[in-house]
Amino acid sequence: MVDRNTNLTRALLGNWRVVFGGGVFLALIVMALAAPLLSPTDPLEQDLMLELLPPAWQVGAEPGHPLGTDGLGRDVLSRLIYGTRVALAVALVAGVLTATLGTALGLLAGFFGGAVDSVISRLVDIWTSFPPVLLSIFLVALLGTGLHSVIIAIVVIDWTRFCRVVRAETMQQRRMEYVDSAVTIGLGRIQILIKEVLPNVLPLVLVLLSLEMGIAIIIEAILSFVGLSLSSDTPTWGGMIAEGRQMIHQAWWMMTFPLGLIIISVLGMNTMGDGLRAVLDPVLRR
């Protein structure tokens, strides 16, 4: 077991995609947890005398505002750092809940088949017929703005992604010899599903989870952009882009920096997912 874990660790650290994506993910965690220490000022502090200050490398910049200020004199870097808390909270909570729901239904459909599979598969077909972005906007508008509404909307629209993939993988695992051996020694179907099939499906779920976190960040940014996430005072990357769009010609930095941070975050999550798949997928390893 120790040798196996050591080999897995070496394989993960030897894959540049995992290292790059994991580094981005770790940086986001540090930014979120250490926001009060890393932020130059209070992200909500307004000073109209300092409005639309450019970044430090441009003429007219002021000390203490390395990435400039917005139209209300609020520090852009501080709002970016605190916005990481919202993005990461949504990515982790919504990603885990989506993975849990989709994986559970996918396991049931793939292992038991028959009527259970038919019901869940029809539900997936119906759910995927709705445009995801429009459905998320409708759900948040129905539930009301707030972080909990954003998380619920992401879980409701994205569980089908896990369900389909896990169902297909579970159907393959069900035909493996280790399942027949478990039946022979008298294990019940639920025991086989949890103790035997789930551990073999879990690496695939981890890959999907890393990809889902990137999707969750994008969805939260879209909802923030249209004003359906948190209040306008709370720093969010999508909200900063919405504010910056109105002043793109006077203050390009207001929109550029949060947009760049979203791109880097999503790229890191997707790259980490590709790396995990290359390391954990036995077919790709061969």
Side-chain angles (χ1 to χ4, degrees):
M1 179 63 72
V2 175
D3 291 339
R4 180 180 179 183
N5 292 336
T6 302
N7 293 335
L8 178 59
T9 302
R10 288 177 179 173
L12 290 172
L13 294 178
N15 187 293
W16 72 267
R17 294 182 179 87
V18 176
V19 174
F20 171 76
V24 171
F25 185 48
L26 181 61
L28 293 176
I29 293 176
V30 172
M31 286 174 63
L33 294 178
L37 300 176
L38 298 175
S39 300
T41 64
D42 185 337
L44 302 180
E45 181 181 344
Q46 301 180 16
D47 188 346
L48 296 181
M49 298 296 293
L50 300 176
E51 63 177 344
L52 301 182
L53 291 177
W57 58 87
Q58 288 195 325
V59 177
E62 287 282 343
H65 302 286
L67 297 185
T69 60
D70 63 10
L72 296 176
R74 297 173 297 190
D75 184 68
V76 171
L77 177 58
S78 299
R79 293 181 66 79
L80 280 175
I81 293 174
Y82 273 86
T84 306
R85 288 184 162 185
V86 176
L88 195 60
V90 170
L92 289 174
V93 177
V96 171
L97 292 178
T98 303
T100 301
L101 177 61
T103 300
L105 293 176
L107 285 169
L108 293 174
F111 190 79
F112 290 100
V116 175
D117 184 25
S118 297
V119 171
I120 294 177
S121 296
R122 295 295 78 76
L123 186 60
V124 169
D125 292 339
I126 294 172
W127 226 251
T128 52
S129 65
F130 296 101
V133 175
L134 293 180
L135 180 59
S136 64
I137 292 175
F138 170 76
L139 288 172
V140 173
L142 184 66
L143 296 171
T145 58
L147 205 59
H148 67 285
S149 299
V150 175
I151 292 172
I152 292 173
I154 294 173
V155 174
V156 168
I157 66 176
D158 255 4
W159 65 270
T160 55
R161 191 189 318 274
F162 285 85
C163 186
R164 280 183 162 179
V165 176
V166 172
R167 170 185 174 273
E169 181 64 21
T170 302
M171 292 177 70
Q172 290 186 356
Q173 295 294 328
R174 187 180 60 181
R175 294 191 288 268
M176 296 292 182
E177 292 182 357
Y178 75 85
V179 174
D180 295 332
S181 300
V183 173
T184 302
I185 64 176
L187 290 181
R189 302 179 74 180
I190 299 298
Q191 287 180 302
I192 296 174
L193 184 61
I194 295 176
K195 295 182 178 180
E196 303 294 334
V197 177
L198 178 58
N200 288 282
V201 175
L202 198 56
L204 179 61
V205 174
L206 293 177
V207 174
L208 292 175
L209 177 59
S210 64
L211 300 175
E212 179 62 30
M213 289 193 297
I215 295 171
I217 289 175
I218 293 176
I219 294 176
E220 192 284 323
I222 292 173
L223 294 175
S224 296
F225 182 83
V226 298
L228 290 176
S229 182
L230 299 175
S231 64
S232 58
D233 289 337
T234 304
T236 61
W237 294 344
M240 294 178 68
I241 293 174
E243 295 170 359
R245 181 178 62 88
Q246 303 172 9
M247 302 181 181
I248 184 63
H249 298 294
Q250 302 102 307
W252 57 267
W253 54 89
M254 288 177 57
M255 181 176 175
T256 303
F257 290 129
L259 186 60
L261 200 50
I262 291 174
I263 293 174
I264 293 173
S265 300
V266 174
L267 179 63
M269 301 296 182
N270 291 347
T271 304
M272 183 169 62
D274 290 340
L276 289 174
R277 182 168 178 263
V279 173
L280 300 177
D281 192 324
V283 176
L284 293 180
R285 286 205 304 268
R286 290 196 294 266

